[in-house]
């Protein structure tokens, strides 16, 4: 068995190579995690901030078709209701997701609750319910969505766009000292 002399690299080269890299032999992967939705047949990815509102809008449109269809509207008009619901809620959802980074936690939770409550209340009214009953159902569901989204946003504070919402410690600033007045 032949033994080849191992080439030893200088310590500074080994240290420079190890900083900021992931060694594959330790079981870690240098590939970043998948943060998007891959389009079939392409290498392009749709960001989750776009994919989730679109998927939710399509699901809401399909539910609207089901709701209108069971209320007695058949065929084309039911599909038009569903298409309109999907387009409007999808556009509002994309708008909300786009600007959520600029909102504080409570405002963001109110916005999600308002969008969900208005959408569900309108969809509830399509079944022939009264306006008052639909408004009450929408307000109730919006309140539930507000509480749930506020809980999710508060328990995932590290992912908050503005960081953790903790009261800041007061910093003592030194005020300029006045010179004693001459008598």
């Amino acid at each position: 068995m032949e033994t080849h002399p191992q080439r030893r690299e200088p310590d500074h080269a080994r240290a420079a190579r190890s900083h900021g890299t992931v060694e594959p032999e330790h079981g870690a992967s240098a590939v970043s995690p998948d943060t998007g939705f891959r389009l079939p047949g392409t290498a392009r990815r749709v960001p989750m901030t776009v994919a989730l509102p679109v998927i939710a809008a399509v699901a809401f449109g399909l539910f609207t078709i089901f709701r209108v269809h069971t209320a007695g509207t058949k065929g084309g008009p039911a599909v038009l209701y569903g298409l309109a619901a999907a387009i409007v809620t999808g556009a509002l959802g994309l708008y909300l997701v786009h600007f959520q980074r600029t909102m504080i936690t409570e405002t963001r939770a109110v916005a999600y609750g308002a969008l969900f409550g208005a959408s569900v209340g309108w969809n509830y009214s399509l079944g022939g319910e009264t306006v008052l009953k639909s408004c009450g159902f929408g307000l109730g569901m919006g309140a539930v969505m507000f509480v749930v989204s506020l809980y999710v946003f508060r328990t995932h504070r590290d992912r908050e766009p503005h960081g953790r919402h903790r009261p800041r410690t007061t910093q003592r600033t030194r005020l300029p000292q006045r010179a004693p007045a001459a008598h």
Side-chain angles (χ1 to χ4, degrees), residues 48-89:
M48 293 307 281
T49 56
V50 173
L52 289 178
V54 169
I55 291 169
V58 169
F60 185 72
L62 292 173
F63 179 69
T64 302
I65 292 172
F66 168 75
R67 179 85 173 147
V68 170
H69 186 73
T70 57
T73 306
K74 305 290 184 206
V79 172
L80 287 177
Y81 271 113
L83 184 63
I87 289 172
V88 170
T89 56

Side-chain angles (χ1 to χ4, degrees), residues 62-165:
L62 292 173
F63 179 69
T64 302
I65 292 172
F66 168 75
R67 179 85 173 147
V68 170
H69 186 73
T70 57
T73 306
K74 305 290 184 206
V79 172
L80 287 177
Y81 271 113
L83 184 63
I87 289 172
V88 170
T89 56
L92 290 174
L94 286 170
Y95 185 77
L96 179 59
V97 168
H98 179 73
F99 286 106
Q100 76 177 352
R101 296 267 179 211
T102 62
M103 299 179 201
I104 60 173
T105 304
E106 291 80 11
T107 306
R108 189 168 26 148
V110 166
Y112 276 100
L115 177 61
F116 185 74
S119 300
V120 170
W122 174 76
N123 206 333
Y124 188 70
S125 73
L126 293 177
E129 307 299 335
T130 64
V131 174
L132 186 60
K133 196 171 182 182
S134 300
C135 287
F137 188 72
L139 283 173
M141 295 304 288
V144 168
M145 182 62 164
F146 168 74
V147 170
V148 168
S149 60
L150 189 63
Y151 173 76
V152 168
F153 296 151
R154 288 292 184 185
T155 56
H156 295 88
R157 286 185 178 181
D158 293 334
R159 297 183 199 160
E160 283 287 316
H162 305 293
R164 290 186 167 272
H165 294 287

